[in-house]
Amino acid sequence: MKKGLVGAGAVLLVVVVIGYLAGIVYSRHLFMERLDETLVKISVESGIAVSKQQVSSGFFSTSMRLVAHLDRFDAGGERSELVVPLTARHGIFSTSLDGQLDLEHVAGDTREALFADLLSPGRSAEFTASVSHLSERLKSELRLPQIDRAGDERLPAMTLHAGVLRLNGVEGDFDLSGEWQSASFITPDAQLQFGPLRFVSRYAGEEDNFHQGDELTLDRVQFQGARSLPVTLERIDYHGQTSFAADNLRYTLALAVGDASVYQQRLGSARLSATLDNLDGAASQRLLKGLEQGLSSRRSAAEPITDWTALVEPHWNDLLTVLAGSPQLTVDELELETSMLEKPIHVEGALNFDGRDIMALEPDALRAEDGWRPLLSRLYGDFDLDNAPPLVSLIAGVAPDQSSLNITLDDGTLSINEQPWFKLF
């Protein structure tokens, strides 16, 4: 009886071990297969070629080096590469990864890493991640090295403390978040200091139909030019929502600055909420990609941009399609508060573009003597400003005790309280 139990236990143990080892083999195969699919997708969607190098496969782990060639930054025979050496450790239900990340400048046989050589000698950015084989959920964290760098002729003086980026979720439903405790950039002409900074971006959907929400909080930022007083902004909060579909792109934002000051002299606070709507989504996407490629090619060829019409002309139909839906920018609230005023200034209204019959417009119209007027003349708007200070009312040409102003734009003319005030174009 006992021998039978021992024998059955041994068989069961062998089955478990074989099953475990088979699970590891399958896990390794599944990870490599999905990695290859991901690299192909990156190449197709972004145009960035990513290759696997120095692949070494063990039974429980795989090490390799991923290299992304950033050809848009190539110039004069030199190139830039994003280099990611990593190790993947295979389990039955998940694979864990750890490695490093750096941006390398390659000139001939010479390589120079952004972090390890220039910003934080001897240290690159480090990351950890885990991928579930059942849910395909990714959890990852990228830790930037601490930077304390004195300035020289190549780069400004800079510091960066406690920089972390996190990416969690599955394809089509993920969030990107990050935080920096403090950072500063100092050049002979200006200096910028900020922190702590926290942000999160949540994305759900597909490339041609998605929703994205963004949040950012910045406790303090200070800017000072070489010949100017320091400007400080505190308690900055930003919330943005982007809804993208082939027939419509809609973007809303809410921005608040809790306090602004110049050389410790308080200026006040500000709050803005606005919506941009009625844009053709698919055409907007094509237009932005086309303009980005045009700008990139000009930068690579060291060609200055002197003719914006020539840059836009190859994408003319997309531009007109974007505008044909009559885009609208609505300012739901703009409020400016300062101790120098009794009441906060409040603005609301909308700026519109008339897209009717615009598809008949030819690009040669922009090369005429009046330039972009055929497009700009289609702008019209109507805004109400409440609690205008007396000086603003006087500048507007109305009585100083008239604190409510109606501001309109029609055919290039800015009017205040139905009286033409300024010809914009």
Side-chain angles (χ1 to χ4, degrees), residues 389-401:
L391 179 59
V392 172
S393 298
L394 285 172
I395 294 174
V398 300
D401 60 349

Side-chain angles (χ1 to χ4, degrees), residues 258-286:
D259 194 58
S261 61
V262 175
Y263 196 57
Q264 300 181 351
Q265 178 64 46
R266 185 178 185 275
L267 296 179
S269 62
R271 186 166 64 246
L272 168 67
S273 59
T275 301
L276 179 62
D277 205 353
N278 300 337
L279 296 168
D280 185 282
S284 298
Q285 195 174 56
R286 293 193 302 267

